[in-house]
Amino acid sequence: MHDELFEQSSIAIALLDLRGNFVKVNPAFCRLLDIAGSQLEGHSFREFTDVNDLSLYASSFNRLLRGELRSITYEHHFLKKDGSRVVAQVDIGAVTKNEQLANFYAYARDISDTRVKEEKLYERNQYLETALQQKEDYFDIFINNNNDAFIEFNEDGRVTRINVAAREMFSLDETIINKTVCEQIFFQKKKIQAGCSFYDVFLIEAGSEPSTRRRLYGRNKQGEIFPVELIINSYRLDNRNYYSAFVHDISEKIDTLKKLIESKLRLNEITDNIPVLIAHIDKHINFTFLNKMYERYFPCKVEQLINTSLFDFCDRRFFAPQDFKIKRIYEKNTYSFEKEIEINGKTVVFNNTVVPARKLNDGFYLLTSDITEFKKLQEIYKYDANHDRLTGLPNRRAVDHYLENYRNPSYKKFSGVSVLFFDLDNFKQINDTHGHDVGDKTLIAFARIVNSLIRRDDFFARLSGDEFLLIMEGFKDTGKESRALVEKIRQALLEKVIINETAITLQTSIGVAVQKDVNSIDIDKLIIEADKDMYLNKRKQKEPSE
């Protein structure tokens, strides 16, 4: 008889083994999936399950295996023979034999055309008029397996049905059936003692539909007040109106929301005070967020800049389309660029970093830092790195950079080049006799004298110790004018200088090398020739005169 009922039942029924494989299916189950029984039996339940339901199915099946549940009902998406999906309400339960888990049964009801939960409750009058008692049982299973409290009222405001969650949430039992309860469990505000009437909860007015969603306060069995959200439906059955509410405790949701608000406020406080201008720009190149740091630099209110174009910012004097490399943004590459702008009469240098958002359609972030002081320090460091601290002249490092111009074939030379190489005579004796302080000031005096006799564009540098280098160009007669300059320097050095109340005579050996042909200048060769010429002069000065 059981086999006959199994085969003739209009309800899709299947028997599963403990591995989740079909052992037996009835014709209704085959019709549901449009697959023959021979193609189902021996195959896994999961083979005919939509990929999005696999985790839910696995979780439910494992809970049944562990004995945590005797049965479970949920919405399941099957895959039919042609690959299409069918949505079914599935009830899976345990079958025991000799108090041992032997198999699982599965009831499946096609609900593809049924409305979602809220619509199901709204259409309950039609559903109950056409459904069998077994479908009523399915409905009971559904609401009693729901984590939200469910309470149904008739049009007089009396309770007609509650689920397990409602019993636990409000400490109710079956004695509440056909009694009013709204005033004891629902409140408009947290600190108001008077409860809500049935009409307050459902906002029922003549000729109007009740509100579908409301937020109130509930009172639990310990007398504690907590926030709840009600999903409300109304329907008509046996010529009477019924009202139902799924009640969800939103305490955690409210706490989470408060934490999110607090977190956002903290984040805003951080972003508004961090010394970086932070902005988000959407895919239309409009601002969607700016921190308060913008107001410290620019005469603006960030609220007024929301949804305005990035290119219109600061009267179109700051950002330009060429600053933003759309291809790099689409490739999610972070990059930076610098911009200068005059603010209140002062030039401010900003470093702007473009950071693409995770999602392409979300635009990008713009991080803007004031690097004005950094740039000034950078220039100071650059100057110090390329100048002699004692004399203030360019050092050997600066000489190397300068010579690169002459080594570059594209460098334009206006005329011949003259190189003068200097080496102070008797400098060691000055150091030994008068001390290093006098020696240092002697180098400074020499550098000052030579600097006073050369042109502004001439390159005069200290190589090391008492060696100096002078490179000049632009003379009409390179050789003649170089010799004239050498004579001027020698004449200027004849006059003694007073250093620390000591009269010091400055003497120097000078080597000269010139190249008149601008198309064949080898600067390194000229320096070597000038160096050799300097040493020849130094030897001549040391030789006794006849």
Side-chain angles (χ1 to χ4, degrees), residues 5 11 44 61 96 252 281 308 331:
L5 289 173
I11 299 173
S44 172
F61 198 81
T96 58
E252 291 186 5
I281 292 86
T308 64
E331 292 174 350

Side-chain angles (χ1 to χ4, degrees), residues 498-516:
I498 306 301
I499 300 175
N500 292 356
E501 300 180 354
T502 301
I504 302 294
T505 300
L506 295 175
Q507 293 180 317
T508 181
S509 298
I510 306 174
V512 180
V514 298
Q515 176 57 265
K516 297 179 182 180

